[in-house]
Amino acid sequence: MAADEFWATIPTDLPDVGSGEQPQRLGNGDGSKAGFTLKPDDRRGDQPPPQEEGQPLEPLEIFSIADFAGKPVPEQEFLDARHMFPARNVTLLQGDGGTGKSLLAMQLCMAVVSRSTWLGISVRHGGALYVSAEDDKTQNHIRAAEIAQAEGLDLASMSSFRIACLAGKDATLATEDRKGRLSVTSLFKRLELTLANVKPQIVVLDNLADVFGGNEISRSQAKQFIGMLRGLAIRFDCCILLLGHPSLTGLNSGSGTSGSTGWSNSVRSRLYLYKPTDENADEKVRALEIMKSNYGPRGDPTNLKWDMGRFICTDKPERAGADIGKADRAQRVFMKLMRAGLEHGQTYSPSISARTYPPSQFAASNEREGINKREFERAMHLLQDKGDIKTVVRHPGTSREKTLLVIANENG
């Protein structure tokens, strides 16, 4: 089928994979089901219609924090158990050409629709949409068949995995207007209609250079484009995975960044797929690293290797029972390091982005006794739950106001 025909012929009712059950949805964060009603003025991501001259201004839509009182605290949801793909958000996966971004993304989509795992990681199940602007239908067929054969999957059962091949066509979702601002294209609006029909858990946009028609080094345009995609992720209750290439500077520095810092700053999660720098490393070896995570820990890189047409994780699983007593040890070491720091005048912040965030500081200590940052984070949460440590506000209502993490029975 031609690419132009695809968008207009998506059926409104798609069967779930194999079981006949409805796909598990991420929901709206309040336990309700997602519902979609497209309006003519509601098809621009999170960008409102332009304000007409002379039209009266409306105040911002606001709510009171008191509305939270007495309600259960919602948990941040993720597509995966490793917390790489936050729900209703945009994740940026960057990697040099030929490292295998498209292959890895297709493996993820196939895991979501086939109720299997991705690199040994549990993922939510449902539909998937892959917008392929770099590879044609033949290449996608080859890639999918190789993954299915290697993983023992049945392609015939994956009717809820949809692909739009736009290779050789204009795949631009937003372009720069004469005033230097972004405007959505008709393809963006067709994508919205497709999302309303397919209702996927995961949407892959391959690749940033093809779908973004603005100035890549413009921070404001990068932020605006990610905002448009975030609007889609929120409205259609899905994760959006945007693939991109790093700049030469990003490659040389090992950061994997590209163009403006606005790209990394605007997404809530950024991943980097790269070949190890060791000159003796196997050409089939890759590493997948979480370079930014607003809602979870970064952790150690996941080591991968190309095998029989797909990537496999080569990290050794922990021995059964190897973690017995480790949680208690992590809490003991956490308290030891925190107490020592407080005695020397150190303060600690509960904010994951703060320089004084305890798990980050303790993981770099020579006294950490083999505990890593992720384990320190789990220990911190457990200690908070037990009431051994707590947050306090110092100098409230003044310019010196600070939220600190303290030992409960020693700091009142």
PDB file of all heavy atoms in Angstrom, residues 25 41 57 73 103 150 205 208-209 217 220 230 287 310 360 364 371 378:
ATOM      1  N   ARG A  25      -4.065  -0.280  28.731  1.00  0.00           N
ATOM      2  CA  ARG A  25      -3.801   1.118  28.445  1.00  0.00           C
ATOM      3  C   ARG A  25      -3.133   1.773  29.646  1.00  0.00           C
ATOM      4  O   ARG A  25      -3.293   1.351  30.779  1.00  0.00           O
ATOM      5  CB  ARG A  25      -5.107   1.861  28.142  1.00  0.00           C
ATOM      6  CG  ARG A  25      -5.870   1.304  26.962  1.00  0.00           C
ATOM      7  CD  ARG A  25      -5.237   1.689  25.636  1.00  0.00           C
ATOM      8  NE  ARG A  25      -5.102   3.134  25.573  1.00  0.00           N
ATOM      9  CZ  ARG A  25      -4.162   3.724  24.843  1.00  0.00           C
ATOM     10  NH1 ARG A  25      -3.289   3.023  24.183  1.00  0.00           N
ATOM     11  NH2 ARG A  25      -4.086   5.036  24.793  1.00  0.00           N
ATOM     12  N   ASP A  41      -9.799  23.107  16.034  1.00  0.00           N
ATOM     13  CA  ASP A  41      -8.812  23.981  16.663  1.00  0.00           C
ATOM     14  C   ASP A  41      -7.982  23.251  17.708  1.00  0.00           C
ATOM     15  O   ASP A  41      -7.339  23.866  18.529  1.00  0.00           O
ATOM     16  CB  ASP A  41      -9.514  25.176  17.324  1.00  0.00           C
ATOM     17  CG  ASP A  41     -10.481  24.723  18.408  1.00  0.00           C
ATOM     18  OD1 ASP A  41     -10.754  23.507  18.473  1.00  0.00           O
ATOM     19  OD2 ASP A  41     -10.947  25.587  19.157  1.00  0.00           O
ATOM     20  N   LEU A  57      -8.274  38.764  26.315  1.00  0.00           N
ATOM     21  CA  LEU A  57      -7.426  37.733  26.895  1.00  0.00           C
ATOM     22  C   LEU A  57      -8.162  37.006  28.010  1.00  0.00           C
ATOM     23  O   LEU A  57      -8.961  37.592  28.732  1.00  0.00           O
ATOM     24  CB  LEU A  57      -6.137  38.349  27.442  1.00  0.00           C
ATOM     25  CG  LEU A  57      -5.195  38.980  26.424  1.00  0.00           C
ATOM     26  CD1 LEU A  57      -4.020  39.643  27.142  1.00  0.00           C
ATOM     27  CD2 LEU A  57      -4.686  37.922  25.444  1.00  0.00           C
ATOM     28  N   VAL A  73      -1.820   9.697  46.199  1.00  0.00           N
ATOM     29  CA  VAL A  73      -0.754  10.287  45.390  1.00  0.00           C
ATOM     30  C   VAL A  73      -0.499   9.401  44.171  1.00  0.00           C
ATOM     31  O   VAL A  73      -0.187   8.214  44.323  1.00  0.00           O
ATOM     32  CB  VAL A  73       0.545  10.426  46.208  1.00  0.00           C
ATOM     33  CG1 VAL A  73       1.650  11.021  45.354  1.00  0.00           C
ATOM     34  CG2 VAL A  73       0.299  11.287  47.443  1.00  0.00           C
ATOM     35  N   LEU A 103      16.501  -0.664  14.543  1.00  0.00           N
ATOM     36  CA  LEU A 103      16.331  -2.063  14.933  1.00  0.00           C
ATOM     37  C   LEU A 103      15.861  -2.159  16.377  1.00  0.00           C
ATOM     38  O   LEU A 103      14.918  -2.895  16.703  1.00  0.00           O
ATOM     39  CB  LEU A 103      17.649  -2.815  14.747  1.00  0.00           C
ATOM     40  CG  LEU A 103      17.712  -4.244  15.284  1.00  0.00           C
ATOM     41  CD1 LEU A 103      16.676  -5.129  14.602  1.00  0.00           C
ATOM     42  CD2 LEU A 103      19.117  -4.825  15.111  1.00  0.00           C
ATOM     43  N   ALA A 150      14.230 -14.668  15.259  1.00  0.00           N
ATOM     44  CA  ALA A 150      15.199 -14.787  16.350  1.00  0.00           C
ATOM     45  C   ALA A 150      14.515 -14.875  17.705  1.00  0.00           C
ATOM     46  O   ALA A 150      14.978 -15.585  18.605  1.00  0.00           O
ATOM     47  CB  ALA A 150      16.164 -13.599  16.320  1.00  0.00           C
ATOM     48  N   LEU A 205       9.031   7.747  15.972  1.00  0.00           N
ATOM     49  CA  LEU A 205       9.242   8.678  14.869  1.00  0.00           C
ATOM     50  C   LEU A 205      10.696   8.566  14.441  1.00  0.00           C
ATOM     51  O   LEU A 205      11.606   8.962  15.175  1.00  0.00           O
ATOM     52  CB  LEU A 205       8.925  10.111  15.305  1.00  0.00           C
ATOM     53  CG  LEU A 205       7.501  10.374  15.803  1.00  0.00           C
ATOM     54  CD1 LEU A 205       7.350  11.833  16.242  1.00  0.00           C
ATOM     55  CD2 LEU A 205       6.470  10.028  14.734  1.00  0.00           C
ATOM     56  N   LEU A 208      14.421  12.232  13.548  1.00  0.00           N
ATOM     57  CA  LEU A 208      14.263  13.653  13.832  1.00  0.00           C
ATOM     58  C   LEU A 208      14.568  14.524  12.618  1.00  0.00           C
ATOM     59  O   LEU A 208      13.850  15.488  12.327  1.00  0.00           O
ATOM     60  CB  LEU A 208      15.173  14.044  15.006  1.00  0.00           C
ATOM     61  CG  LEU A 208      15.263  15.533  15.349  1.00  0.00           C
ATOM     62  CD1 LEU A 208      13.901  16.080  15.733  1.00  0.00           C
ATOM     63  CD2 LEU A 208      16.264  15.763  16.475  1.00  0.00           C
ATOM     64  N   ALA A 209      15.641  14.210  11.899  1.00  0.00           N
ATOM     65  CA  ALA A 209      16.034  15.021  10.749  1.00  0.00           C
ATOM     66  C   ALA A 209      14.960  15.027   9.663  1.00  0.00           C
ATOM     67  O   ALA A 209      14.859  15.978   8.883  1.00  0.00           O
ATOM     68  CB  ALA A 209      17.353  14.504  10.175  1.00  0.00           C
ATOM     69  N   ILE A 217      19.292  24.053  15.522  1.00  0.00           N
ATOM     70  CA  ILE A 217      20.115  24.678  16.557  1.00  0.00           C
ATOM     71  C   ILE A 217      19.359  25.778  17.303  1.00  0.00           C
ATOM     72  O   ILE A 217      19.925  26.443  18.163  1.00  0.00           O
ATOM     73  CB  ILE A 217      21.426  25.255  15.979  1.00  0.00           C
ATOM     74  CG1 ILE A 217      21.128  26.380  14.981  1.00  0.00           C
ATOM     75  CG2 ILE A 217      22.258  24.155  15.342  1.00  0.00           C
ATOM     76  CD1 ILE A 217      22.393  27.078  14.493  1.00  0.00           C
ATOM     77  N   SER A 220      14.479  27.576  21.018  1.00  0.00           N
ATOM     78  CA  SER A 220      13.037  27.798  21.135  1.00  0.00           C
ATOM     79  C   SER A 220      12.255  26.865  20.213  1.00  0.00           C
ATOM     80  O   SER A 220      11.195  26.355  20.579  1.00  0.00           O
ATOM     81  CB  SER A 220      12.697  29.258  20.822  1.00  0.00           C
ATOM     82  OG  SER A 220      13.048  29.591  19.489  1.00  0.00           O
ATOM     83  N   ARG A 230       4.716  16.303  22.822  1.00  0.00           N
ATOM     84  CA  ARG A 230       4.256  16.011  24.186  1.00  0.00           C
ATOM     85  C   ARG A 230       2.740  16.159  24.258  1.00  0.00           C
ATOM     86  O   ARG A 230       2.058  15.398  24.962  1.00  0.00           O
ATOM     87  CB  ARG A 230       4.934  16.961  25.181  1.00  0.00           C
ATOM     88  CG  ARG A 230       4.450  16.782  26.631  1.00  0.00           C
ATOM     89  CD  ARG A 230       5.126  15.616  27.285  1.00  0.00           C
ATOM     90  NE  ARG A 230       4.530  15.270  28.563  1.00  0.00           N
ATOM     91  CZ  ARG A 230       4.748  15.889  29.728  1.00  0.00           C
ATOM     92  NH1 ARG A 230       5.554  16.931  29.775  1.00  0.00           N
ATOM     93  NH2 ARG A 230       4.191  15.456  30.834  1.00  0.00           N
ATOM     94  N   ALA A 287      26.213  -0.282  23.549  1.00  0.00           N
ATOM     95  CA  ALA A 287      25.813   0.073  24.919  1.00  0.00           C
ATOM     96  C   ALA A 287      24.653   1.057  24.824  1.00  0.00           C
ATOM     97  O   ALA A 287      24.678   1.979  24.014  1.00  0.00           O
ATOM     98  CB  ALA A 287      26.978   0.682  25.687  1.00  0.00           C
ATOM     99  N   ARG A 310      18.812  -9.307  15.680  1.00  0.00           N
ATOM    100  CA  ARG A 310      18.274  -8.433  16.718  1.00  0.00           C
ATOM    101  C   ARG A 310      19.317  -8.272  17.810  1.00  0.00           C
ATOM    102  O   ARG A 310      20.348  -8.949  17.828  1.00  0.00           O
ATOM    103  CB  ARG A 310      16.950  -8.945  17.249  1.00  0.00           C
ATOM    104  CG  ARG A 310      16.897  -9.944  18.393  1.00  0.00           C
ATOM    105  CD  ARG A 310      17.725 -11.116  18.364  1.00  0.00           C
ATOM    106  NE  ARG A 310      17.265 -12.145  19.330  1.00  0.00           N
ATOM    107  CZ  ARG A 310      17.969 -13.211  19.592  1.00  0.00           C
ATOM    108  NH1 ARG A 310      19.142 -13.410  19.005  1.00  0.00           N
ATOM    109  NH2 ARG A 310      17.505 -14.122  20.433  1.00  0.00           N
ATOM    110  N   SER A 360      23.402  10.292  44.694  1.00  0.00           N
ATOM    111  CA  SER A 360      24.475  10.687  43.788  1.00  0.00           C
ATOM    112  C   SER A 360      25.779  10.863  44.551  1.00  0.00           C
ATOM    113  O   SER A 360      26.847  10.418  44.105  1.00  0.00           O
ATOM    114  CB  SER A 360      24.113  11.991  43.071  1.00  0.00           C
ATOM    115  OG  SER A 360      22.941  11.843  42.295  1.00  0.00           O
ATOM    116  N   ALA A 364      29.454   7.993  44.907  1.00  0.00           N
ATOM    117  CA  ALA A 364      30.821   8.400  44.568  1.00  0.00           C
ATOM    118  C   ALA A 364      31.766   8.296  45.763  1.00  0.00           C
ATOM    119  O   ALA A 364      32.955   8.607  45.638  1.00  0.00           O
ATOM    120  CB  ALA A 364      30.809   9.833  44.032  1.00  0.00           C
ATOM    121  N   ILE A 371      27.728  -0.436  47.160  1.00  0.00           N
ATOM    122  CA  ILE A 371      26.342  -0.059  46.864  1.00  0.00           C
ATOM    123  C   ILE A 371      26.343   0.976  45.734  1.00  0.00           C
ATOM    124  O   ILE A 371      27.107   1.948  45.783  1.00  0.00           O
ATOM    125  CB  ILE A 371      25.638   0.529  48.110  1.00  0.00           C
ATOM    126  CG1 ILE A 371      25.755  -0.443  49.297  1.00  0.00           C
ATOM    127  CG2 ILE A 371      24.184   0.838  47.807  1.00  0.00           C
ATOM    128  CD1 ILE A 371      25.106  -1.780  49.056  1.00  0.00           C
ATOM    129  N   ARG A 378      16.777   3.284  46.288  1.00  0.00           N
ATOM    130  CA  ARG A 378      15.787   2.393  46.911  1.00  0.00           C
ATOM    131  C   ARG A 378      15.881   2.460  48.431  1.00  0.00           C
ATOM    132  O   ARG A 378      14.861   2.475  49.136  1.00  0.00           O
ATOM    133  CB  ARG A 378      15.993   0.954  46.418  1.00  0.00           C
ATOM    134  CG  ARG A 378      15.497   0.715  45.002  1.00  0.00           C
ATOM    135  CD  ARG A 378      15.353  -0.754  44.728  1.00  0.00           C
ATOM    136  NE  ARG A 378      16.638  -1.430  44.660  1.00  0.00           N
ATOM    137  CZ  ARG A 378      17.308  -1.680  43.544  1.00  0.00           C
ATOM    138  NH1 ARG A 378      16.785  -1.311  42.388  1.00  0.00           N
ATOM    139  NH2 ARG A 378      18.451  -2.302  43.560  1.00  0.00           N
TER     140      ARG A 378
END
